[in-house]
Amino acid sequence: MLLAFDVGNSNIVLGVFQDGKLLTNWRIETDQAKSADEYGMLINQLFAYENLDPAQVKDVIISTVVPSLVFTLQHMSTKYFNKRAIVVGPGVKTGLVVKYDNPKQVGADRIVNAVAAFEKYGGPLIIIDFGTATTFCAVTDKAEYLGGTIAPGLKISSDALFEKTSKLPKVEIEEPGRVICKNTISSMQSGLVYGHMGLVEYIVRKMKAELQEICGEDKEVTVVATGGLANLIENGVDCVDHIDKLLTLEGLQIIYCKNKRQPK
């Protein structure tokens, strides 16, 4: 079995693969204060709940945008699974040609998503990840990662309204059903959700045009969305072709196969 970690700023998504197939996955809170032992015991409890044997884990792979957790999870992997984890970063084979000015600056999650999306849908394509930040990544039909756009995510925007204003409350992120709203909570939800939908449509439209300038006008650009709020935003836009909630985990499994033989 392969144990994969997708470590985001807000959540860690874990997945267990057997012979290339995802057996199960979990989402836990990212906590930089947790020790390797705390993470190890928590993961053992998750394994026990699913009747999985930790001894069957043959390898571990980690993608993280939280550098401070690399040592913690690496130590946890060594102690609880007796494996030194593969950490996605420079030197790890991905199959992509990264055209970023400084490839080391690209978030590991963005590369992992691009690997999975290109493997599943081909190119050219745009990958949108609705996480703590909302990221847009462009990949050509020749597997070239060009770069993209980073915008504040819905939760960041909501928190900023609450923290930086005196009277605005904290609100749930959900559609209010209208943009002419008659109370403060609905008005904030409208601005957050529908404003983000507008942002998505505009950036995708511009990015498609730029991609077609590079790849050719005849090339159809596929748009893939992932992340916890993908479904909410996709309901109000016409530019998303596929929702793929487990894209990052699948990308980690693909990258593992490119760097080591398939675990049994």
Side-chain angles (χ1 to χ4, degrees), residues 6-36:
D6 167 27
V7 183
N9 289 292
S10 301
N11 297 109
I12 298 174
V13 180
L14 304 85
V16 178
F17 290 86
Q18 178 79 53
D19 297 326
K21 294 182 179 180
L22 185 63
L23 297 180
T24 190
N25 66 94
W26 308 279
R27 182 181 294 268
I28 62 177
E29 184 181 10
T30 302
D31 186 351
Q32 297 182 56
K34 267 192 172 69
S35 68

Side-chain angles (χ1 to χ4, degrees), residues 21-114:
K21 294 182 179 180
L22 185 63
L23 297 180
T24 190
N25 66 94
W26 308 279
R27 182 181 294 268
I28 62 177
E29 184 181 10
T30 302
D31 186 351
Q32 297 182 56
K34 267 192 172 69
S35 68
D37 288 323
E38 288 175 303
Y39 275 114
M41 293 303 295
L42 174 57
I43 294 165
N44 271 334
Q45 290 172 2
L46 295 173
F47 269 65
Y49 181 79
E50 295 286 351
N51 294 315
L52 296 174
D53 181 5
Q56 295 301 309
V57 173
K58 302 303 181 187
D59 231 324
V60 179
I61 187 167
I62 299 169
S63 164
T64 180
V65 296
V66 187
S68 61
L69 279 178
V70 172
F71 175 80
T72 300
L73 294 178
Q74 190 67 273
H75 181 48
M76 180 279 301
S77 176
T78 302
K79 181 173 180 179
Y80 286 85
F81 298 98
N82 197 31
K83 302 294 176 185
R84 180 163 181 80
I86 298 170
V87 179
V88 177
V92 173
K93 298 175 186 175
T94 64
L96 297 178
V97 178
V98 180
K99 297 283 191 174
Y100 224 60
D101 290 342
N102 182 355
K104 293 180 180 179
Q105 291 181 343
V106 186
D109 57 334
R110 298 175 74 186
I111 295 297
V112 173
N113 284 340

